[in-house]
Amino acid sequence: MNILYSNLYKEQLKETLRVLKEEDEANARSFELYLDTIIVNMHTKVKKYKQSIYFGDENIKDIENQGYTIPFYIDEKKNVYVLLGLIKS
């Protein structure tokens, strides 16, 4: 599966990292690295993620990470995951 990043996700990630860097730069780097690891490996754990609480579509699931939620869409026909956003839980 390929992973696509929506513009909204990119903007929200950029803003989140900016805020985290202001608080603690090392923590921001750790957050970003762990997030990258989760995203790279998401195809192996996609079945464990629950249906999104933000959408009424069974093809949209949520990844929870360090107080943030990433809803993502599973497009099996195109063989892609689309990260839709980054929401502070």
Side-chain angles (χ1 to χ4, degrees):
M1 285 273 199
N2 293 316
I3 300 170
L4 302 176
Y5 303 87
S6 71
N7 288 334
L8 179 61
Y9 173 82
K10 290 176 190 176
E11 291 171 16
Q12 290 174 330
L13 176 60
K14 186 177 180 179
E15 178 61 19
T16 299
L17 291 175
R18 184 190 66 75
V19 170
L20 290 174
K21 282 180 184 175
E22 286 178 0
E23 294 172 4
D24 182 348
E25 192 164 334
N27 187 37
R29 275 186 256 137
S30 174
F31 175 83
E32 186 175 19
L33 180 62
Y34 188 66
L35 189 60
D36 286 344
T37 302
I38 289 172
I39 291 168
V40 166
N41 294 310
M42 68 189 279
H43 69 281
T44 64
K45 299 179 181 181
V46 74
K47 298 285 186 205
K48 91 168 197 166
Y49 299 119
K50 300 180 209 166
Q51 182 176 338
S52 178
I53 60 171
Y54 301 101
F55 299 90
D57 185 333
E58 63 185 38
N59 291 321
I60 301 177
K61 299 190 177 215
D62 288 339
I63 297 172
E64 295 179 1
N65 175 48
Q66 299 178 1
Y68 289 85
T69 301
I70 304 164
F72 68 98
Y73 175 72
I74 304 167
D75 189 336
E76 292 181 2
K77 290 180 183 177
K78 293 183 179 179
N79 202 33
V80 298
Y81 299 127
V82 181
L83 302 181
L84 302 173
L86 180 64
I87 304 160
K88 187 165 185 167
S89 302

